[in-house]
Amino acid sequence: MSALEVRDLSKRFAIGSAFRPQHVHAVEDVSFSLRPGTITALVGESGSGKSTVARLIARLYDPTSGAVLFDGGDVARVKRRKDILGYRSKVQLIFQDPFGSLNPVKTVRHHIERPLRIHHIVPPAQVDERVYDLLNTVGLVPPDEVAAKYPHELSGGQRQRVAIARALAVEPKVVLADEPTSMLDVSIRIGILNLMIKLKEERGIAFLYVTHDLASARYLADDILVMYAGQIVERGPVEQVLAEPLHPYTQLLLAAVHGERIVDRGVGGGAAAVDPGPGCRFVDRCPLAIPACSATTPELVETAAGHAARCFVTAPSPTST
Amino acid sequence: MTALAEEPAVTATGTEALLEVRDLVVEYGRVRAVDGVNLRIETGEILGLAGESGCGKSTVANAILRILRPPARIVSGSVLFQGDDLVVKSIEELRRYRWRNVSMVFQSAMNALNPVMRVGNQFVDMMQAHERISKRRAIVRAGELLELVGIDKRRVRAYPHELSGGMRQRVIIGMALALSPELIILDEPTTALDVVVQREILQEVEALKRDFGFAVLFITHDLSLLLEFADRIAIMYAGEIVESGPAAKLASDPLHPYTQGLIKSFPPLTGVRTRLTGIPGSPPDLREPPSGCRFHPRCPHCLPENAELYLRQTTERPRLREVAPGHQVACHLVEGGAA
């Protein structure tokens, strides 16, 4: 059973001028599902489209095509404010920047109380108690003292915890965390990651963890999706994908973080998503490329239970060979 | 390994270092961002300086180049470059020393290129400011430098926006090499870049260092990078150096609880997946630094039950002490012989 499913999701952005129009295929035919009580890591470099996926699911953008299935319906095209609010109370987004996502003139209490009241989560008489519960849950103690503070009185890690408490206030089924630790100091990142693990275990929340950091993905996630130039190029159980990567891009990423000597003369993945040709988006950087790679884009082919890659060489389709 | 704290420091006397920072104190108004830092960089070595945001590591770099902006100022201490104190030099003397003797690459350096000027001309400007060289010669030289950092020399005609972030950062590194400086300071040079690009650039810096023999001061929050690239590492916390030593030594046998916590803050990519703890709390506010050891509020070994040690930890500042050749630690646990 999945908590949320994304099916053939695509998003194009128009760039360039009127005389030379171009389109970034920021997200193309992305499909995956998030299961309750699991963390799915969405990994990619900048410009790979990973944050766009999170924003499409959060309904901050309208998709060009495709569906976001939640609670038995497609929410990708929901337009009525009431319906969007209802959806947002079940699917919450946590941003990278805990400095920009809190209102500097409001107390911590205000930030957490607001969603409780707007979405009528608890009767008004119980709001205080629930605020303290939530602060306790995210490790901000003593809760009554923290509740009275303003964002500037908190450290980056504490602010991110407030943002998480706020997201939890509406009792979401799904939390989308977009690089939640990348702006935090190294020594406090683990604390936030551990908090996400605890919430997954205790509350059965389905997390989408968007990151560029493979090591934290391995630490945190059950499943991993690797994105390159708008497409998912590999997916599977995190341990298996990182131990036996199939796609040459995943292999390159791993070599880079393992400190192996790498040879790569390609441009970043962002450029490969601009008006892409018919072939594989990775072909210009790929050490394994064969002629077929320039002619058509490979499909995601499953090679082992749940482990799939988009590569003619390492994950050939059983029917085409 | 026995700690020989009484033995005289091997590096403290004898040969002259390429760069030596002595008892450096830098203040921003009343905030003491750097409090008594000592560093030594030998010819041709990579010294890593690691720490979290606000620990003062970038301030040290800016002080070495004397590019601190008010209200920041060097309160005391000296920065000796081949024995010459830079703290007392005039603006004109400093101008000649920058780029030629010491150059610097910042995290945001790739955005420091002039957007309306071709890359080659920016090299020309910089070179002509420092030596008599014709424009034609300088452009040829710029092309050679671009090739060195892995960019096609025809790109001297490119404008910065035509280059990717990684390529712009390479351009800056090429520029930093232009006058063959003895020391290059890299301040978070690859933090804004993707991992693959980051790896390539660091590989290149390493190769260039082997060919040209310059020394590198590599500043970053990413200790895992330093463990791999640096010869020696100094760890900064709240304006002080708390541990320094050979990179291999810090990787295998870190002594300061902060270093130990930092190393344990990076989840591994191989081996068993275990739950890590990180370091509780957050770095202190330097307007009101903690008394005694500045790390004591976050230190897992600072416990009131251990009354005598606790008193020292909370009231007395530990001094950096040599515990093995080239390995120094500022920690009461180590001083007390607990190591």
Side-chain angles (χ1 to χ4, degrees):
Chain A
M1 197 208 83
S2 65
L4 184 143
E5 191 183 338
V6 169
R7 206 176 280 170
D8 299 325
L9 199 63
S10 295
K11 177 68 181 176
R12 292 180 191 179
F13 293 104
I15 57 165
S17 64
F19 302 104
R20 208 164 67 101
Q22 291 181 305
H23 287 89
V24 181
H25 296 223
V27 173
E28 191 159 277
D29 291 337
V30 164
S31 301
F32 60 86
S33 59
L34 303 177
R35 289 172 292 136
T38 59
I39 297 177
T40 304
L42 179 59
V43 177
E45 60 194 350
S46 51
S48 63
K50 58 187 192 301
S51 289
T52 308
V53 169
R55 280 153 200 241
L56 285 168
I57 298 174
R59 295 286 287 111
L60 297 182
Y61 300 141
D62 287 328
T64 308
S65 62
V68 177
L69 304 173
F70 183 77
D71 251 0
D74 180 7
V75 293
R77 287 185 209 287
V78 163
K79 284 274 189 277
R80 280 168 56 208
R81 185 174 153 72
K82 185 168 155 286
D83 295 337
I84 289 184
L85 269 184
Y87 174 63
R88 290 223 175 113
S89 74
K90 295 289 169 228
V91 178
Q92 283 280 310
L93 183 61
I94 297 167
F95 293 96
Q96 186 179 119
D97 180 7
F99 302 86
S101 61
L102 300 178
N103 185 337
V105 298
K106 300 289 187 185
T107 60
V108 168
R109 178 190 303 278
H110 169 90
H111 285 96
I112 297 170
E113 224 174 52
R114 222 169 100 87
L116 291 175
R117 292 188 196 278
I118 290 176
H119 294 283
H120 309 292
I121 305 294
V122 289
Q126 291 171 29
V127 164
D128 271 359
E129 191 189 328
R130 181 57 67 88
V131 168
Y132 296 157
D133 274 356
L134 286 162
L135 288 173
N136 260 324
T137 302
V138 298
L140 289 172
V141 286
D144 50 331
E145 272 178 38
V146 178
K149 290 193 173 179
Y150 288 88
H152 71 88
E153 299 175 271
L154 304 173
S155 69
Q158 289 172 323
R159 275 181 250 200
Q160 199 58 295
R161 285 173 193 269
V162 171
I164 293 173
R166 175 177 59 182
L168 293 178
V170 296
E171 297 170 357
K173 290 198 165 74
V174 176
V175 172
L176 313 164
D178 189 359
E179 305 248 17
T181 63
S182 63
M183 288 186 68
L184 303 178
D185 269 321
V186 174
S187 71
I188 54 186
R189 287 182 187 173
I190 289 287
I192 298 291
L193 298 182
N194 285 345
L195 175 58
M196 286 168 63
I197 294 174
K198 181 181 119 176
L199 293 170
K200 152 194 122 157
E201 286 169 355
E202 290 177 0
R203 302 191 169 214
I205 293 173
F207 276 96
L208 181 69
Y209 173 58
V210 179
T211 184
H212 65 274
D213 177 17
L214 282 177
S216 70
R218 175 175 188 256
Y219 179 72
L220 193 65
D222 304 284
D223 299 314
I224 189 169
L225 308 163
V226 182
M227 265 188 101
Y228 183 78
Q231 296 177 323
I232 289 178
V233 295
E234 185 158 2
R235 66 172 160 77
V238 69
E239 284 283 39
Q240 193 182 337
V241 169
L242 297 184
E244 294 162 41
L246 288 171
H247 198 280
Y249 175 63
T250 317
Q251 292 169 356
L252 177 67
L253 271 184
L254 270 167
V257 286
H258 275 313
E260 287 163 28
R261 182 151 189 91
I262 57 165
V263 181
D264 174 34
R265 277 283 168 270
V267 285
V274 181
D275 289 334
C280 172
R281 307 248 168 119
F282 191 63
V283 68
D284 291 339
R285 293 171 79 176
C286 188
L288 307 176
I290 54 174
C293 302
S294 305
T296 41
T297 305
E299 298 290 315
L300 267 173
V301 175
E302 196 157 292
T303 60
H307 188 179
R310 202 185 271 282
C311 178
F312 287 132
V313 180
T314 59
S317 162
T319 52
S320 69
T321 46
Chain B
M1 190 97 222
T2 35
L4 295 174
E6 304 312 315
E7 212 172 59
V10 186
T11 48
T13 51
T15 55
E16 186 177 87
L18 176 65
L19 184 95
E20 197 179 347
V21 175
R22 275 193 203 155
D23 301 319
L24 184 70
V25 176
V26 181
E27 290 182 352
Y28 289 79
R30 277 171 298 132
V31 178
R32 189 164 276 206
V34 173
D35 197 358
V37 160
N38 289 284
L39 281 179
R40 222 182 127 87
I41 304 175
E42 309 293 340
T43 303
E45 80 167 343
I46 301 184
L47 175 70
L49 185 57
E52 297 180 83
S53 51
C55 73
K57 57 190 191 299
S58 291
T59 305
V60 168
N62 292 347
I64 290 173
L65 271 179
R66 292 264 322 268
I67 51 172
L68 291 167
R69 293 225 183 114
R73 64 188 187 95
I74 296 175
V75 176
S76 61
S78 50
V79 176
L80 303 174
F81 186 83
Q82 293 172 334
D84 235 7
D85 192 356
L86 300 174
V87 172
V88 298
K89 279 200 187 297
S90 70
I91 302 284
E92 177 53 29
E93 287 171 315
L94 283 170
R95 197 186 66 78
R96 271 176 284 162
Y97 142 87
R98 293 181 194 133
W99 293 101
R100 175 173 301 286
N101 297 110
V102 181
S103 59
M104 185 156 171
V105 176
F106 301 93
Q107 177 180 351
S108 51
M110 55 193 185
N111 303 321
L113 291 167
N114 184 339
V116 294
M117 198 168 168
R118 293 184 199 276
V119 164
N121 289 341
Q122 308 199 35
F123 275 88
V124 173
D125 262 14
M126 191 274 289
M127 286 188 234
Q128 287 187 334
H130 287 272
E131 56 190 28
R132 291 173 61 89
I133 182 169
S134 70
K135 180 165 179 188
R136 183 188 296 254
R137 265 295 297 140
I139 287 278
V140 171
R141 180 95 186 98
E144 291 166 5
L145 288 161
L146 288 184
E147 296 263 288
L148 267 184
V149 293
I151 298 177
D152 189 327
K153 64 171 178 260
R154 286 170 298 187
R155 293 291 193 139
V156 291
R157 296 193 48 77
Y159 286 100
H161 74 265
E162 297 172 297
L163 306 174
S164 68
M167 283 166 87
R168 289 203 297 270
Q169 197 68 317
R170 285 164 196 266
V171 167
I172 296 285
I173 292 173
M175 229 181 243
L177 292 171
L179 302 179
S180 310
E182 289 97 340
L183 175 66
I184 298 183
I185 300 175
L186 302 173
D187 188 0
E188 304 269 11
T190 57
T191 305
L193 303 173
D194 290 316
V195 281
V196 175
V197 183
Q198 165 173 325
R199 168 70 39 184
E200 284 184 292
I201 288 184
L202 293 180
Q203 272 175 200
E204 222 137 71
V205 167
E206 231 183 6
L208 290 166
K209 191 208 81 152
R210 274 198 302 274
D211 294 347
F212 292 87
F214 52 79
V216 177
L217 174 60
F218 188 168
I219 298 169
T220 178
H221 69 280
D222 190 347
L223 183 58
S224 59
L225 268 186
L226 292 184
L227 292 174
E228 193 187 327
F229 279 97
D231 300 309
R232 285 190 305 123
I233 299 176
I235 308 281
M236 265 188 99
Y237 186 76
E240 303 172 325
I241 288 179
V242 295
E243 182 163 6
S244 76
K249 190 82 185 148
L250 255 65
S252 65
D253 189 21
L255 291 177
H256 199 284
Y258 178 63
T259 315
Q260 292 168 353
L262 264 190
I263 288 176
K264 277 188 264 173
S265 296
F266 293 95
L269 262 171
T270 51
V272 197
R273 282 207 287 183
T274 50
R275 197 68 71 92
L276 303 173
T277 50
I279 304 175
S282 31
D285 182 347
L286 287 179
R287 278 169 297 190
E288 294 167 67
S291 62
C293 169
R294 290 186 176 173
F295 187 63
H296 89 256
R298 302 176 76 188
C299 183
H301 305 290
C302 181
L303 306 165
E305 296 86 82
N306 202 339
E308 194 195 335
L309 182 62
Y310 185 76
L311 183 69
R312 285 176 61 212
Q313 285 170 325
T314 51
T315 57
E316 194 185 310
R317 267 177 78 178
R319 283 190 315 113
L320 257 187
R321 288 230 202 161
E322 186 126 325
V323 291
H327 189 180
Q328 300 174 310
V329 189
C331 176
H332 290 300
L333 295 166
V334 177
E335 281 186 20

